[in-house]
Amino acid sequence: MSEFRPISVNPILSRIAEKLVVKYWLYPAISPATIQDQFAFRPSGSTSCALVNLMHHISCMLENNSYVRCLTIDFSKAFDVSHDVLLHKVSELALPHDINNWIVSFLIGRGQKCKVNDVFSSYSDITRGIIQGSGVGPTFYVIMKRDLHTLSAKNVMSKYADYINLTVPEHSDVDLLTEFEHMKKWASDNKMIINLAKTKEIVFRRPCPKQDHLPPSFDCIDCVDSVKSLGVFLHYGLNFELHVSYVLRRCSQRIYLLRMLRSQGLSSYHLNIVFQAIVISRVLYALPAWGVHLTTYEYNLCNSDNTYVLPQCKYNLYKQSFVNWCLFDARL
């Protein structure tokens, strides 16, 4: 029962009005410098941008450091934000009084009750959470986390909705433990909870055989060799063999589905459309972030003539385009 979430469907006119408020008042009132590290719920933000930003900073840090510590942090029930905290942060924005009052009216005065096996619970006021499906809800979450930053300018925080990557190089004036304690204090002050079970640490390092000493890990957080971040497997040595194998395995499963569709009489034209939707999109997902790190072995995996052949869908043509794209990015 504790995992149930309400589904609130606002009228279309309401969502249009909310998006107008976001476009003409909320976003202009938010300083761009405070949300540069937030890649979700923004017109120019995406998971690919977040991963490119993460890989860029890790690569730059490894030029002058033997290792880079990274925490992948997850919040429990992140969108169940406190309305009191949210309204306080909204009040700090330079908004017209009418817009501020509209936001207050939008959040307060709502209630809910649950129905299980034809039995209704008592009616309760909603004091937490962002309304699902609303036009203004994602922007509320951006406002909620816009004041969460690192203590040191040498450390980097990359935020995508409730998922955060915190990277700290070997030589930094503020270590990872201090940064994490600062984040936990922020979470406590804002009535949010960090999910320690899903929070992992990975130490990226250069392939240096003389470097054997690594910093001790946290007692409550697992230190892993690879972690899945925003759909991409990251390895401590920046080796993407695990991710390439994962992508090709998923593509093989989906091509089997296409073969079943072909046996049912689906035309080549429609097979190609489905192929682009469920296979090519998976191969090209976040490619600018990890494609430039492909090794010769991984290149051969993608370029093998006997790998997942489906002539009707011109898979080899797309596969070669995928590899050429990777090599083109690598040359740049």
Side-chain angles (χ1 to χ4, degrees):
M1 299 292 182
S2 63
E3 300 300 326
F4 285 178
R5 294 291 182 276
I7 298 177
S8 305
V9 182
N10 289 353
I12 294 178
L13 289 178
S14 175
R15 292 199 295 270
I16 293 175
E18 295 166 34
K19 292 180 179 180
L20 291 175
V21 170
V22 170
K23 180 178 180 180
Y24 292 105
W25 286 283
L26 279 182
Y27 264 121
I30 301 174
S31 173
T34 62
I35 58 174
Q36 287 182 348
D37 53 2
Q38 174 64 263
F39 294 92
F41 312 133
R42 294 180 58 189
S44 59
S46 66
T47 54
S48 295
C49 292
L51 288 168
V52 168
N53 177 74
L54 175 65
M55 297 305 301
H56 167 72
H57 285 291
I58 291 175
S59 300
C60 292
M61 290 176 179
L62 286 177
E63 292 180 357
N64 301 311
N65 298 271
S66 299
Y67 61 83
V68 175
R69 304 180 69 180
C70 178
L71 275 183
T72 59
I73 303 169
D74 186 82
F75 286 90
S76 298
K77 303 178 182 178
F79 292 93
D80 289 351
V81 298
S82 170
H83 289 176
D84 294 338
V85 176
L86 176 59
L87 289 175
H88 174 72
K89 294 188 177 185
V90 170
S91 65
E92 295 176 344
L93 300 176
L95 294 173
H97 292 297
D98 292 342
I99 299 300
N100 189 73
N101 293 336
W102 180 89
I103 294 175
V104 173
S105 176
F106 181 85
L107 289 175
I108 67 173
R110 296 181 181 269
Q112 68 180 14
K113 59 181 177 180
C114 297
K115 176 185 177 183
V116 180
N117 297 330
D118 296 327
V119 177
F120 287 90
S121 68
S122 58
Y123 189 85
S124 301
D125 292 332
I126 299 177
T127 59
R128 299 181 65 93
I130 297 174
I131 299 174
Q132 181 176 348
S134 65
V136 74
T139 310
F140 282 160
Y141 197 77
V142 172
I143 296 172
M144 187 72 183
K145 294 178 65 176
R146 72 187 184 95
D147 58 344
L148 175 59
H149 302 290
T150 58
L151 296 173
S152 171
K154 296 182 178 180
N155 305 330
V156 177
M157 182 180 297
S158 176
K159 297 179 287 189
Y160 190 89
D162 60 334
Y163 190 84
I164 296 177
N165 286 312
L166 175 63
T167 53
V168 176
E170 176 188 12
H171 304 296
S172 177
D173 49 351
V174 179
D175 60 9
L176 184 63
L177 179 60
T178 304
E179 289 282 8
F180 188 52
E181 291 297 330
H182 165 69
M183 182 174 293
K184 289 196 293 185
K185 183 180 184 302
W186 178 91
S188 176
D189 294 341
N190 289 270
K191 300 180 181 180
M192 300 182 69
I193 302 174
I194 294 178
N195 190 339
L196 296 179
K198 292 184 178 181
T199 299
K200 307 294 181 183
E201 179 188 2
I202 181 172
V203 183
F204 297 98
R205 46 193 183 271
R206 293 181 293 178
C208 179
K210 297 181 180 180
Q211 178 64 35
D212 295 326
H213 176 70
L214 293 176
S217 58
F218 299 157
D219 295 335
C220 57
I221 296 177
D222 295 334
C223 187
V224 296
D225 291 337
S226 61
V227 65
K228 190 176 183 180
S229 176
L230 300 177
V232 175
F233 284 95
L234 304 179
H235 187 263
Y236 72 89
L238 298 183
N239 185 327
F240 287 89
E241 179 180 347
L242 179 63
H243 180 69
V244 169
S245 300
Y246 168 76
V247 170
L248 293 180
R249 186 169 61 252
R250 293 292 298 272
C251 290
S252 177
Q253 296 171 353
R254 297 178 183 187
I255 287 177
Y256 174 77
L257 171 62
L258 289 174
R259 287 172 177 163
M260 298 298 295
L261 293 175
R262 181 179 60 182
S263 66
Q264 297 296 323
L266 193 64
S267 66
S268 298
Y269 173 78
H270 293 97
L271 277 174
N272 189 58
I273 294 176
V274 177
F275 174 74
Q276 295 184 53
I278 67 176
V279 177
I280 295 301
S281 62
R282 189 65 191 87
V283 171
L284 300 183
Y285 173 74
L287 183 63
W290 58 271
V292 296
H293 297 276
L294 285 180
T295 63
T296 302
Y297 172 75
E298 293 153 1
Y299 167 82
N300 292 333
L301 268 181
C302 299
N303 199 32
S304 175
D305 290 335
N306 56 5
T307 305
Y308 314 128
V309 178
L310 189 62
Q312 289 78 359
C313 294
K314 304 179 181 179
Y315 177 62
N316 287 331
L317 176 62
Y318 282 104
K319 184 176 58 179
Q320 189 60 47
S321 300
F322 155 65
V323 176
N324 290 340
W325 188 1
C326 295
L327 295 178
F328 178 72
D329 283 348
R331 288 195 296 270
L332 290 182

